[in-house]
Amino acid sequence: MKLKLSAAFVLGALCLMQASAATLGNDNLSITGFGTLAAARSNTDDARFTRANQREGTAGTNTIGLDSNLGLQATYTFSDKLSATTQILSRKTTGDSFTTELAWAFVKYKLNDDVSLRLGRVVVPAFLISDYQNVGYANTMMRPPIEMYGQNIIENVDGVDVNWQHGFGDTNVTAQAFVGVARGKSYVASDRSEPRYQAPAAGFAVSAEHGPVTLRFAHVQGKIKATNVKPINSLTNTLTSVGFAQLASDITLKEEKRVAFTSVGLLADWNNIVVQSEYGMRRAKDPSYLSESNAWYTMVGYRFGKVLPYFAHAKLDGKGSNITVPATLARIPALNAGVKNLLAGASQSSDLVGVRWDFASSAALKVQVDRVKPGAKNGFLSDVTPAGVGKKVTVVAAGVDFVF
């Protein structure tokens, strides 16, 4: 029922905006949309494969919730300098059902041909494809590799950003800086909860486009606070009660903890050869249970007319938490083991093959097979049974991406 309501909300909004466009004039109001209708299934019920910060995914079951979404974007232009943009997005994230969220909502003011300001809910430019990671049609693969994109689940902030663009001969350079506050939910698989987080954040991104090649560098820092992560709170309460208050304070997110994320990326589309690659690092600037990590992926494809087969490899290398566990905790073996397991890093790698067929001017059919190889702490797999520990998982997905 919630899926129907979410879809109805988006489609209803589209109809209302189209009616408004007739009144206000098409020159002022621009309405676009995007979506993916896809099904997926994994080969086992001993582990659950999901997107970043997603509850359902697939665990040996057929699902449309892994990759399907529906989005609507409207931009009203008041003048050649002032405009307003809103984007709503329906998808499955931390809950069991599809939900509709306000992804973008900002007012944009052009200071000159090179510089513009945006105020409101804006994208966090942490990744190579941050601006369009939810638009399946704009991407070659079915989904961004979780090994990379699972390192940072914050997609937008309520704040302000400044964008600068300038051409230097055949090279176009773009720089973006932002500051704001991110708010949202994170999914905790151990108790299937959805604690809320808040994170004042700031960062920047710089990209250079020369012909068919784009290079990008980004750096983001945030102060994450989540007061109701029940498994963590239970552990820290126990640590405090047995005399390890400092360790409890280091682990908890009840107080703001600084975390940084840095990435570099490459896009190339030359002579029918398509390449996409990113490398990212998450580092804790304050003590917390969040693991530091490195991740990367590389995708290579070759276009045969309207058909693009591709292959990608992705890898996550968890470094573990920056917290040092007191040696005296060893006198309580069970608690010591639990803390060390929490603070250890997760690892995972994936190989995937797929094909994209642009069968229409605004629609593409994709089929993709992922082979996931979990390492320490089962990587990003969740709900892992004893029989599923260390077991490779195969995920088959097929769907249609479209824009309108």
Side-chain angles (χ1 to χ4, degrees):
M1 178 61 72
K2 290 186 178 180
L3 168 57
K4 294 179 180 178
L5 289 175
S6 297
F9 175 78
V10 174
L11 294 175
L14 175 60
C15 293
L16 288 173
M17 287 186 174
Q18 286 176 330
S20 299
T23 303
L24 297 171
N26 290 330
D27 291 341
N28 298 98
L29 183 62
S30 169
I31 300 173
T32 58
F34 60 88
T36 296
L37 180 59
R41 183 185 178 94
S42 67
N43 67 333
T44 179
D45 59 2
D46 287 323
R48 185 174 301 279
F49 174 87
T50 68
R51 283 184 174 230
N53 202 34
Q54 187 181 61
R55 177 194 293 258
E56 184 189 46
T58 175
T61 55
N62 297 319
T63 179
I64 64 168
L66 178 65
D67 297 311
S68 298
N69 68 13
L70 184 62
L72 178 69
Q73 181 172 315
T75 298
Y76 188 82
T77 302
F78 297 95
S79 68
D80 59 350
K81 289 185 176 293
L82 183 65
S83 64
T85 297
T86 299
Q87 183 187 103
I88 53 176
L89 177 64
S90 288
R91 58 178 174 173
K92 279 194 174 182
T93 54
T94 59
D96 289 320
S97 304
F98 280 81
T99 56
T100 300
E101 63 194 80
L102 186 63
W104 299 358
F106 57 80
V107 175
K108 178 180 178 180
Y109 184 77
K110 258 182 104 170
L111 295 176
N112 53 48
D113 290 339
D114 293 337
V115 182
S116 62
L117 295 172
R118 299 190 300 182
L119 176 65
R121 180 161 294 179
V122 296
V123 171
V124 173
F127 297 104
L128 179 66
I129 59 171
S130 287
D131 283 339
Y132 52 93
Q133 65 174 301
N134 295 311
V135 184
Y137 185 80
N139 293 284
T140 301
M141 295 178 284
M142 287 284 293
R143 70 192 73 87
I146 190 173
E147 290 85 355
M148 179 71 180
Y149 282 68
Q151 293 184 103
N152 181 13
I153 63 172
I154 296 174
E155 295 185 10
N156 53 52
V157 295
D158 296 325
V160 61
D161 71 4
V162 57
N163 294 266
W164 174 81
Q165 300 180 55
H166 192 77
F168 297 90
D170 294 333
T171 302
N172 293 317
V173 177
T174 302
Q176 178 182 358
F178 79 93
V179 62
V181 178
R183 300 176 179 88
K185 295 179 180 179
S186 60
Y187 177 61
V188 179
S190 59
D191 68 343
R192 301 181 66 81
S193 63
E194 306 170 62
R196 292 188 174 274
Y197 67 81
Q198 179 171 303
F204 69 91
V206 180
S207 64
E209 181 180 354
H210 183 85
V213 178
T214 299
L215 296 173
R216 194 169 189 274
F217 174 85
H219 180 76
V220 175
Q221 288 201 25
K223 296 180 179 179
I224 299 176
K225 182 178 181 179
T227 60
N228 195 31
V229 186
K230 294 179 181 178
I232 301 301
N233 292 350
S234 176
L235 175 62
T236 55
N237 289 340
T238 299
L239 288 169
T240 300
S241 69
V242 295
F244 292 92
Q246 183 58 55
L247 179 58
S249 177
D250 288 344
I251 289 173
T252 187
L253 288 181
K254 287 184 176 180
E255 302 165 358
E256 290 183 348
K257 301 291 182 71
R258 288 188 304 135
V259 179
F261 181 75
T262 304
S263 70
V264 292
L266 164 72
L267 277 174
D269 191 341
W270 176 76
N271 284 355
N272 293 321
I273 299 172
V274 179
V275 177
Q276 180 175 321
S277 185
E278 285 185 88
Y279 179 85
M281 303 184 300
R282 185 172 73 183
R283 295 293 183 265
K285 301 298 182 179
D286 292 321
S288 79
Y289 75 89
L290 297 175
S291 173
E292 298 188 337
S293 59
N294 299 336
W296 65 273
Y297 73 89
T298 297
M299 183 214 71
V300 179
Y302 190 87
R303 187 179 291 107
F304 298 90
K306 295 183 178 181
V307 178
L308 174 60
Y310 56 88
F311 167 80
H313 179 76
K315 186 175 183 180
L316 168 73
D317 180 15
K319 303 297 182 181
S321 169
N322 62 355
I323 295 174
T324 300
V325 178
T328 51
L329 187 62
R331 72 173 188 259
I332 313 175
L335 187 57
N336 186 53
V339 169
K340 288 190 172 182
N341 180 67
L342 171 68
L343 303 182
S347 62
Q348 176 176 301
S349 65
S350 295
D351 292 295
L352 65 91
V353 293
V355 60
R356 170 180 174 142
W357 174 34
D358 287 85
F359 65 90
S361 60
S362 57
L365 171 67
K366 294 178 187 174
V367 178
Q368 182 171 304
V369 179
D370 294 66
R371 184 65 166 170
V372 182
K373 304 164 189 171
K377 296 181 69 174
N378 300 306
F380 278 111
L381 298 177
S382 60
D383 299 342
V384 180
T385 68
V389 175
K391 184 178 180 180
K392 296 178 182 178
V393 176
T394 300
V395 181
V396 179
V400 175
D401 299 320
F402 56 90
V403 293
F404 56 90

